[in-house]
Structure formats: structure tokens, C-alpha cells
Amino acid sequence: MYENAQYIFSNGKNDCIRVDINGVTSFVPLDPANTDYAAIMALVAEGKLTIGAAQ
Amino acid sequence: MTATLQTTNIQNAASSTTNLALDTSGNVTVGSSLTAANNITATSGTVVMASSFLRNRIINGAMQIAQRGTSATVTAGTAVPTASAGFPCVDRWFVYSTGANVTAAQVAGSGNNKNLLQITGAASVTAVGVGQRIEQLNSYDLAGQTCTLSVLLANSTLTTVTWTASYANTADTFGTIGTPTKTQIATGTFTVSSTLTQYTVNIAVPSAATTGIEILFTVGAQTSGTWSIGNVQFEPGSIATPFERRLYGQELMLCQRYYEKTYDITTAPGTVTNNGILSMMSFASKTIRTVWKFAVSKRTAPSITFYNPNNGSTTNPFRDFDSSTNYNGGTDAIGTDNVTASWYYAAGGGNTNGEWGGVHITASAEL
């Protein structure tokens, strides 16, 4: 389960996503070949998850 | 009395093809398989196998590597596998259950087999699956070939294990169990017992299967008892050759392409220990960054998780050992070969000059 997703901003661009995965905070690269990223984007497309803007 | 038999072909009376063909240069061509009760020796030259050595495309088929831990609860659900979910125990093998949680554990094997993966059932379980996805780079050449799947299986309560081979619809993208993006190649069943036994099956891999291959074993309602799996081999050719035993260090490196950690190999993530931490030195008012260079390049940029060496927590995982304080942190650069760990500056306190900090990290690029 993916919750509390938020972009991490670095070097002038969004660099990765900080997200709680089954309650564990992890950092997911913006790489379509990363299976967490693919799952996150599928949830976003379905309207089931929102990725917060970087602070 | 000795004599020389001169002929060009030797063929069994009931065979439609030549068993042995002899040419004018002294060569012998065997029409099909060659079986020897003892060694086959080449006095010069090399015995060349069409499928070559390192023929097993399954990694950790002997279930010997267990970087994440040797036992874990598998939470029921089908939103797995992903890089960070669905890999509870032995490396490279994802496990899922439906209906209720099960336990996955690396257990002792028997005879020459040191380990097995064992699933322990529970009431209300409706299905359990154990699988491995072979990435495109390691299976591309299998397309259009007959391959052979071999596995040791035992089940103390159920008598049917279903095997299914699939290929990804796009390169290395299989989706999850609940939302698959894969195409079935073939499926079938093994009738099993409580005695560990080897089962084999030939699988015709279609020419379209150039995108990665998944091997999945499933059982139904494992509401009690145990299901054991070991020595999984998937190889080109129609013959089930003996299980290929790779050296532990080789197998570990193969696993680390998909998962790696800063902990010692036998230490599960979340364990309280300083062994292997990524050390850092604080500098007041600054976020401190340092790089963890992976031992093995990853399949793709991995998902990263930080663990506090002092309490095992993933919350405030950066530990200042000098002030005995825990801090938040993260990363802003994840590559296939390294990751930058960032110990965030905490406004209003902490992070004074020259204090020793550290963190543990895991990196997963599973598919």
C-alpha cells in the first residue's frame, strides 16, 4: 500500500518520490523500470493516489 | 580376435532416425541424447554444451541467499510483487497469499540440498503463490526454444502444485498478481506428496517471449501444513540436467543485482547494529551527503529505504552517535550504481560540527 507520496526536489527538478510503502518510508526513483514507480503511477492514473509537490 | 566394423550409420531397428553417424574424418554424430554411466572425457579439446554452462536462468534456485531475513509473515494481498513489497524471505522469490497471511521461511533441506523455501499455511488461506521473474537480459535468447523447468516440491497437506510460465507484455513489466501485464506461455500441474521429489516439464517458449519470463508455482487452500520448494531450474533444451550449483559468492552477486543492503549478509534489515553503517560527519547548518556505492550494479534505479542503526526504525533513521539523537534524512540522487544519503540539517538543534552519524540502507530493483 502506497501512502503519503511526495516529490523530492533537487538540482532544479523533481528527483524521486518519498512514500510510505506498507508503513515503511522509502524513496522511489522516477524510473518507469522501477516497479514501485510503475505501481505508484498506476495508482495515480486511477485516481487512488496523489503525489504531493516538493516542499 | 579383433575386427573393424566399417559402416556409416548405426540405427536401432525400431528407430526412425540414425543413432550414430560415422564420417570419413573419424567423427561420430549422435542422433539424440547421449547417456553415460560414468564420465565423458575429452582427451584434447573441450566438451561443448549447446546450452552452455551457467544454464540455469533462475537465480537463487537453491534458496540459499536470504538477505531480507530467514522468516517473515506474508500479508495476504495481490498488489505484489513490486520492488519494495512481496519479497519476504529468500532472495529473488516473491510470495503472495490470498484469504489469510502465511509464513515464508528459509529452512534446512536434506541430503545435498542445504536449504528450501517453506510456506506454512493458515486457516482461511485460499491460495499461495511463489514465483520468480527472469529479466529480459537473461532470457531473451530463450524465445523460440524448448526449455525445461525442474523443481523439488513437497506438500504435507495438498497434492497439486500448479506451474505457470508467462512473459511480460513489455520489457520486464509484468505488473502485479492482481493487475498483471503479462501473457501466459503455458501452465500445468504436478501431483505432489509429503516426500520431497523432483518434477520436470518441457515448456515451448514462444518467439514473442523476448521481454522477460516469469515462473510461478501456486497451490490452493493451504489452510494448514507446509509447502516446500527447492532446486528450481529453468534451462534451455528439452533435457532436465542436474541442478546447477553455483558458488555462494557467485549466487550472492547475482542476487545483489536486484537487492543489496549495508548490513552484513546474514543480518536482516532493521536489526540494531552499527556493522556496515554508512558513516557521516556532521557540519552545523548543513545537510550532509555521502554516497553508498553498490557492490553490484542494479537492474534499474532501486527503491531506497533507510534504517536507524540504533533502533531499527525507518522514521528519523539517521543516528547522531555523539549526541545520541535521531534525525530525518533521505536521498536526492538514486542511480543504478550508487545512492546519495542525505542527513538533513535540523533547524533549532543538533547537527553541530564534527559529530559522527550513520545510517543503514537497502536498495531494491526487483521486478
Side-chain angles (χ1 to χ4, degrees):
Chain A
M1 177 181 294
Y2 298 90
E3 298 174 300
N4 306 318
Q6 182 179 33
Y7 283 109
I8 299 295
F9 191 82
S10 179
N11 296 320
K13 61 180 177 57
N14 287 329
D15 191 84
C16 62
I17 299 169
R18 184 178 63 213
V19 60
D20 294 337
I21 305 174
N22 296 326
V24 175
T25 300
S26 296
F27 294 81
V28 175
L30 309 184
D31 181 349
N34 180 291
T35 47
D36 279 324
Y37 181 74
I40 288 169
M41 298 316 291
L43 291 173
V44 170
E46 294 170 7
K48 297 178 180 175
L49 180 68
T50 300
I51 306 174
Q55 292 181 343
Chain B
M1 175 180 175
T2 59
T4 300
L5 173 64
Q6 294 188 331
T7 187
T8 53
N9 293 317
I10 299 175
Q11 184 168 327
N12 185 285
S15 173
S16 61
T17 58
T18 300
N19 296 73
L20 289 177
L22 316 176
D23 69 14
T24 57
S25 301
N27 300 311
V28 177
T29 301
V30 179
S32 186
S33 300
L34 175 65
T35 303
N38 209 314
N39 299 333
I40 296 176
T41 303
T43 54
S44 66
T46 305
V47 176
V48 179
M49 300 172 66
S51 61
S52 79
F53 293 93
L54 294 176
R55 61 196 180 282
N56 189 5
R57 305 307 171 90
I58 295 291
I59 295 173
N60 200 27
M63 314 296 180
Q64 281 194 267
I65 312 292
Q67 293 188 84
R68 295 172 180 83
T70 55
S71 180
T73 297
V74 177
T75 302
T78 58
V80 294
T82 67
S84 296
F87 295 87
C89 182
V90 292
D91 278 54
R92 298 258 45 230
W93 291 98
F94 66 83
V95 181
Y96 74 91
S97 68
T98 59
N101 300 346
V102 297
T103 300
Q106 180 196 49
V107 299
S110 60
N112 293 334
N113 306 312
K114 186 173 186 300
N115 292 112
L116 297 167
L117 171 60
Q118 187 170 84
I119 307 298
T120 300
S124 302
V125 168
T126 54
V128 183
V130 173
Q132 183 170 134
R133 291 168 171 178
I134 307 167
E135 69 171 296
Q136 178 191 42
L137 293 177
N138 290 338
S139 60
Y140 188 92
D141 64 300
L142 301 181
Q145 290 199 55
T146 295
C147 293
T148 300
L149 174 65
S150 310
V151 58
L152 288 176
L153 294 169
N155 198 304
S156 66
T157 55
L158 302 178
T159 58
T160 300
V161 174
T162 299
W163 60 267
T164 304
S166 306
Y167 65 91
N169 290 351
T170 57
D172 295 335
T173 304
F174 296 85
T176 61
I177 295 299
T179 310
T181 56
K182 60 190 178 186
T183 300
Q184 182 176 296
I185 296 172
T187 188
T189 59
F190 297 128
T191 300
V192 303
S193 71
S194 59
T195 301
L196 198 65
T197 305
Q198 186 190 39
Y199 301 86
T200 68
V201 63
N202 289 145
I203 297 172
V205 178
S207 58
T210 57
T211 49
I213 293 173
E214 177 189 88
I215 300 297
L216 177 65
F217 301 102
T218 55
V219 296
Q222 186 88 49
T223 55
S224 64
T226 59
W227 175 27
S228 301
I229 307 167
N231 286 15
V232 187
Q233 181 152 290
F234 188 65
E235 60 185 315
S238 59
I239 304 296
T241 65
F243 181 73
E244 181 179 76
R245 298 189 186 279
R246 293 186 282 250
L247 300 180
Y248 182 89
Q250 294 173 312
E251 201 77 55
L252 175 61
M253 285 193 291
L254 294 177
C255 291
Q256 287 177 324
R257 176 169 170 77
Y258 307 89
Y259 182 85
E260 193 173 339
K261 60 185 180 179
T262 53
Y263 296 91
D264 289 343
I265 289 303
T266 56
T267 302
T271 301
V272 175
T273 177
N274 287 355
N275 286 359
I277 59 167
L278 195 67
S279 281
M280 315 168 87
M281 192 65 74
S282 67
F283 188 77
S285 304
K286 297 290 184 183
T287 291
I288 306 302
R289 292 178 171 85
T290 190
V291 171
W292 177 33
K293 171 81 170 121
F294 302 140
V296 176
S297 296
K298 297 291 167 283
R299 179 189 68 86
T300 190
S303 298
I304 298 295
T305 304
F306 297 97
Y307 293 87
N308 190 310
N310 190 62
N311 59 21
S313 175
T314 56
T315 302
N316 292 326
F318 288 72
R319 176 70 174 178
D320 184 327
F321 294 102
D322 287 325
S323 67
S324 298
T325 309
N326 302 321
Y327 290 98
N328 196 8
T331 178
D332 51 18
I334 306 172
T336 57
D337 290 76
N338 53 66
V339 61
T340 298
S342 304
W343 174 8
Y344 295 161
Y345 166 68
N351 291 49
T352 55
N353 282 338
E355 295 194 337
W356 173 41
V359 68
H360 275 298
I361 315 176
T362 62
S364 177
E366 277 291 356
L367 67 166

